[in-house]
Amino acid sequence: PNLFSEKRVRPKPTPSAPSSVSPDDPVRACFVILVRNNELGGIVSTISQIESTFNNKFKYPYIFLNDEEFTPEFVDTTSALTTSVTRYGKLDQQMWGYPSYINQTRAAENRHELAKQGVPYADSESYRHMCRFQSGFFFRHPLLDEFDYYWRLEPDVDYYCQLDYDVFKYMRNNGKKYGFNIAFREFMATVPSLWGTIEAFKRDYPEVMEHLPVKEDSLWKFVTNDNGETYNSCHFWTNFEIASLAVWRSNDYLKLFSYLDRSGGFFYERWGDAPVHSIAATMLLRKDEFHFFNDVGYRHTAYQHCPVEEEFRSKCRCDPQNNFDYDPGLSCYSTFKAALN
Ligand code: GDP
Ligand code: MN
């Protein structure tokens, strides 16, 4: 069984931007930041860099989200970093909590089993809520209702390069829906049943599959090396993500997410939002709707993308010798490039 069927009528190509929009029209876009109060120092660092490389020119608002109430100190300190709008939201039980059908005893047992395999965050309950929230809920938070595009930020990351153009206008005006800058391999122990569950969704929802891009227009080779039999573990790192909210708000994605959620894999396994977003995006989008943000030099934990071309040496404060793109064991950038053809 293949994730992407061969024989389907080619859907009508969508225009690169709605014709009623002119390129200079403002984009309804924001930064979205899920963060804890005790990560204040880390998010101050990130926002300071975002302001000085990009947002002091473009003034996009910041939306902060948390499963707990933000402290006055957090609100005061972060809002003082920018002249842009800052808003603060708390997640409800539906967005951050166990659905009624989850067997929490089974979830706990599975966490302990996975921990024995040395997988990162194997025994963390909150990490699972976080991944489920980032997979299925952030785009439905009321504070995001007025926006069409977002840039996800995290504490303690680095943004290395000056950006002198509006990345959101670039996305909209060029018909781009999903932007990334690091593509990584997943620990397969965290997602043993994810691919099979997506295949089951495809069988159960033929009416959804019917209007998705045909195989040759999609990026399906990014996520499978064996013609759809198995997941190859490649995913876009979602800790940096510039994307269209419409992708996740679509009925197709909402159906897929709720199917995945029902299966329990966010809790019984440890499904990351990165493989979920990535596999879904390869199903829902055409390959020309993806964008590799080469010009966004970026570090998360020990891995960084630093653009190597000469033109970036005056714009970026990273060392191009330290660039993850072609890391032989861990990077899926080459798989992405190959899948574009
Ligand atoms: P990693 O990038 O996969 O190692 O995971 P992180 O620990 O960096 O978490 C991803 C994002 O979710 C970061 O922005 C964190 O600040 C945020 N996050 C993770 N766990 C929690 C949590 O329990 N509560 C809140 N409010 N944010 C969280
Ligand atoms: Mn992180």
Side-chain angles (χ1 to χ4, degrees):
N2 286 339
L3 190 53
F4 301 88
S5 60
E6 319 261 358
K7 288 178 294 219
R8 261 186 282 115
V9 184
R10 188 182 297 265
K12 258 201 307 206
T14 46
S16 55
S19 51
S20 56
V21 173
S22 72
D24 293 331
D25 284 351
V27 185
R28 305 190 326 156
C30 66
F31 295 97
V32 60
I33 310 173
L34 177 73
V35 63
R36 290 168 280 220
N37 284 307
N38 66 14
E39 293 171 305
L40 177 57
I43 205 64
V44 166
S45 167
T46 298
I47 292 172
S48 305
Q49 296 178 58
I50 283 290
E51 283 292 311
S52 66
T53 57
F54 174 79
N55 206 42
N56 57 1
K57 304 181 275 287
F58 297 105
K59 308 286 178 199
Y60 283 102
Y62 293 87
I63 309 300
F64 296 87
L65 301 174
N66 190 351
D67 59 307
E68 295 180 351
E69 220 45 84
F70 281 113
T71 61
E73 185 199 7
F74 187 99
V75 173
D76 293 347
T77 308
T78 51
S79 58
L81 297 169
T82 175
T83 58
S84 297
V85 169
T86 50
R87 296 219 178 94
Y88 301 83
K90 185 175 183 292
L91 312 182
D92 62 19
Q93 183 61 28
Q94 194 215 348
M95 294 192 173
W96 191 284
Y98 284 103
S100 57
Y101 51 82
I102 293 294
N103 177 338
Q104 293 185 38
T105 309
R106 180 180 160 202
E109 284 165 5
N110 289 6
R111 286 200 298 277
H112 302 319
E113 279 308 308
L114 194 61
K116 292 178 191 159
Q117 300 180 44
V119 169
Y121 305 109
D123 54 3
S124 170
E125 206 171 3
S126 66
Y127 194 82
R128 286 172 172 77
H129 289 296
M130 183 275 288
C131 292
R132 176 172 174 267
F133 171 76
Q134 300 285 26
S135 297
F137 295 98
F138 80 93
F139 51 88
R140 302 190 242 194
H141 193 281
L143 287 178
L144 271 73
D145 281 353
E146 64 188 273
F147 302 111
D148 299 322
Y149 293 84
Y150 67 97
W151 179 337
R152 176 170 157 186
L153 298 179
E154 281 203 0
D156 285 308
V157 298
D158 288 323
Y159 281 94
Y160 293 126
C161 303
Q162 285 297 326
L163 291 168
D164 48 20
Y165 68 99
D166 184 330
V167 295
F168 296 116
K169 283 186 181 162
Y170 173 85
M171 295 287 287
R172 182 195 60 194
N173 296 346
N174 292 282
K176 300 294 184 185
K177 306 278 177 61
Y178 191 89
F180 71 99
N181 58 9
I182 289 178
F184 221 93
R185 291 191 186 283
E186 186 55 290
F187 295 92
M188 286 303 287
T190 65
V191 286
S193 75
L194 176 58
W195 191 258
T197 308
I198 286 180
E199 285 191 324
F201 172 81
K202 189 191 147 192
R203 282 192 297 274
D204 291 351
Y205 285 85
E207 73 278 13
V208 169
M209 300 313 295
E210 209 159 89
H211 59 266
L212 297 182
V214 293
K215 203 171 174 182
E216 67 263 28
D217 292 340
S218 86
L219 200 69
W220 69 286
K221 285 182 175 166
F222 178 63
V223 289
T224 182
N225 301 338
D226 53 12
N227 203 25
E229 286 296 316
T230 60
Y231 179 37
N232 64 9
S233 86
C234 286
H235 60 283
F236 305 116
W237 252 14
T238 47
N239 46 70
F240 165 86
E241 197 169 55
I242 298 178
S244 158
L245 288 159
V247 176
W248 315 123
R249 290 168 176 160
S250 68
N251 283 328
D252 296 339
Y253 182 74
L254 292 174
K255 283 179 191 162
L256 175 61
F257 172 75
S258 91
Y259 193 96
L260 296 178
D261 200 20
R262 274 263 151 203
S263 81
F266 290 105
F267 295 106
Y268 300 139
E269 298 180 1
R270 205 224 66 190
W271 293 353
D273 56 293
V276 170
H277 281 199
S278 301
I279 296 172
T282 65
M283 287 172 64
L284 300 174
L285 301 178
R286 298 190 316 265
K287 53 188 167 189
D288 59 303
E289 294 175 313
F290 291 85
H291 180 63
F292 175 61
F293 273 100
N294 182 49
D295 49 3
V296 179
Y298 177 69
R299 179 197 61 80
H300 176 277
T301 60
Y303 301 97
Q304 70 176 35
H305 166 71
C306 182
V308 297
E309 294 79 3
E310 193 49 42
E311 64 184 285
F312 291 106
R313 298 293 59 83
S314 60
K315 292 183 174 174
C316 304
R317 53 183 186 85
C318 54
D319 175 4
Q321 305 282 350
N322 180 358
N323 176 34
F324 183 70
D325 299 3
Y326 296 104
D327 184 294
L330 293 174
S331 178
C332 280
Y333 180 63
S334 301
T335 311
F336 170 75
K337 294 290 277 183
L340 284 179
N341 299 316

